[in-house]
Amino acid sequence: MRGTPHPGFPSVRTRLFGLVGHPVSHSLSPAMQNAGFRAAGIDAAYAAFDVPAEGLPAALAGARALGFGGLNVTVPHKEGALALAAEADPVAALAGAANTLVPVAAGWRACNTDVDGFLSAIREGLDMDPAGRRCLVLGAGGSARAVAVALVRAGAQEIFVANRNEERAEGLVRELRQRCGTERVARVALEAAPQRLGPEGLLVSATPLGLSESGRWPWDLARFDPGTAAFDLAYRAGGETQLVVQARARGLRAASGLAMLLHQGALAFALWTGRPAPLAAMRRGLLQI
């Protein structure tokens, strides 16, 4: 994978990488990863591919047949990608979701860089260590799985999962308790969530709410302790998400998912290339959008 990047259109020697999800038009991953390849002197190109749920098996098989060097996976495919992979790393198996695929002889190896990427992001964006804290995760999809596993591994005191579909939240809690071997994960009804979090807690949105101009937290944030920190996994180019704006308006510390995108992407870069990610160059690629 070493070599001078092609100055214009990719050549026949260019290694291909990509993101599969639905939707992906908002994604900044191509700008970030292509900046990383350029900085590292790797002849590679990264693009985003809009793949509806039913198209995932064909997309993964096609990318493998075309010799892709690796893939990222986003909503709604993180659980499906794990199920379709030939093997999985321990973190992806623990989370029950994958966001990174690495080619292996039998097909794809499923990895999860969201877990460590999330922890790096809250330390950078919120100056927070979740150890010993009560945490509330809004959502029950693949991203929520990764966040909950990260919080368990980081030593959070309790992790509450809230979702409009309570059955889905309950299923996620059962899985996480079994996979992680802990009773520290529990479902909480939406209405009861603020009082369960307590002082100095962490509130995380692992939903697409922040992608919408009209998106709102499902609670009046005044119900949370003033020491609460809020993190929205969603991100917007050139500005903050509505959820972050609302949290800061209530006096809460808040950050969006741009730092998580960076750190999970850097970990994926290292898995694909076997080389340390050029973090500063990848950060510049994000900020120049």
Side-chain angles (χ1 to χ4, degrees), residues 119-185:
L119 292 175
S120 294
I122 61 171
R123 287 165 181 150
E124 176 182 309
L126 297 173
D127 191 24
M128 170 176 275
D129 184 341
R133 299 179 187 269
R134 288 188 173 90
C135 304
L136 172 59
V137 180
L138 175 63
S143 296
R145 289 169 177 271
V147 168
V149 167
L151 293 171
V152 169
R153 287 161 59 95
Q157 180 181 345
E158 291 182 279
I159 302 103
F160 299 104
V161 177
N163 194 54
R164 295 190 187 282
N165 184 328
E166 294 191 357
E167 184 177 347
R168 186 167 168 78
E170 185 61 43
L172 173 57
V173 166
R174 284 197 302 269
E175 284 187 41
L176 289 171
R177 284 183 169 185
Q178 182 178 17
R179 292 176 192 272
C180 299
T182 182
E183 296 295 310
R184 285 182 288 149
V185 186

Side-chain angles (χ1 to χ4, degrees), residues 26-126:
H26 68 284
S27 178
L28 302 183
S29 287
M32 173 181 67
Q33 295 292 2
N34 285 319
F37 291 138
R38 287 192 299 271
I42 295 173
D43 187 359
Y46 183 109
F49 302 92
D50 197 310
V51 177
E54 64 276 11
L56 182 63
L60 297 190
R64 189 74 180 92
L66 290 170
F68 272 56
L71 291 171
N72 283 132
V73 183
T74 189
V75 176
H77 299 315
K78 293 185 178 185
E79 294 160 77
L82 177 64
L84 291 167
E87 57 186 68
D89 74 6
V91 180
L94 192 63
N99 76 312
T100 301
L101 297 176
V102 179
V104 293
W108 294 107
R109 175 175 174 81
C111 305
N112 194 308
T113 65
D114 279 339
V115 170
D116 287 336
F118 168 73
L119 292 175
S120 294
I122 61 171
R123 287 165 181 150
E124 176 182 309
L126 297 173

